[in-house]
């Protein structure tokens, strides 16, 4: 089994968010292995002193200051991916 996780800044394009400006990130989880992954947990962390969670395209199971947790973003077949947009 194998898995790849990436986090990419989508907005603002210049990478500098001002006070009250929305930042948007894309989280992508890819099954890089040769077997189906039935249970894929995902945790995203962020600096709580600088950012506040607003929303996500797939609602996290747990939200804490500085972290978001999804209990299962699977199942993922070999080569399949899931993308989550986080504001």
């Amino acid at each position: 089994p194998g898995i790849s996780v990436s986090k990419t800044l989508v907005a603002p394009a210049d990478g500098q968010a001002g006070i009250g400006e929305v930042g948007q990130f894309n989280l992508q989880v890819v099954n890089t292995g040769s077997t189906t992954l039935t249970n894929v947990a995902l945790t995203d962390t962020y600096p709580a002193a600088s950012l506040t969670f607003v929303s996500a395209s797939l609602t996290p199971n747990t939200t804490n200051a500085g972290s978001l947790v999804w209990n299962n973003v699977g199942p993922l077949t070999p080569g399949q991916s899931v993308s989550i947009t986080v504001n």
Side-chain angles (χ1 to χ4, degrees), residues 58-70:
L58 178 62
T59 303
N61 298 99
T62 306
T63 58
N64 295 310
S67 72
L68 307 172
V69 177
W70 290 266

Side-chain angles (χ1 to χ4, degrees), residues 10-80:
V10 177
D14 66 1
Q16 300 294 318
I19 295 173
E21 187 176 0
V22 175
Q24 188 176 75
F25 295 87
N26 183 59
L27 307 176
Q28 185 175 42
V29 180
V30 181
N31 179 350
T32 59
S34 58
T35 61
T36 297
L37 302 173
T38 56
N39 190 9
V40 181
L42 175 65
T43 299
D44 177 43
T45 60
Y46 60 91
S50 305
L51 299 172
T52 302
F53 171 68
V54 175
S55 65
S57 59
L58 178 62
T59 303
N61 298 99
T62 306
T63 58
N64 295 310
S67 72
L68 307 172
V69 177
W70 290 266
N71 294 339
N72 188 10
V73 297
L76 296 176
T77 59
Q80 186 179 16

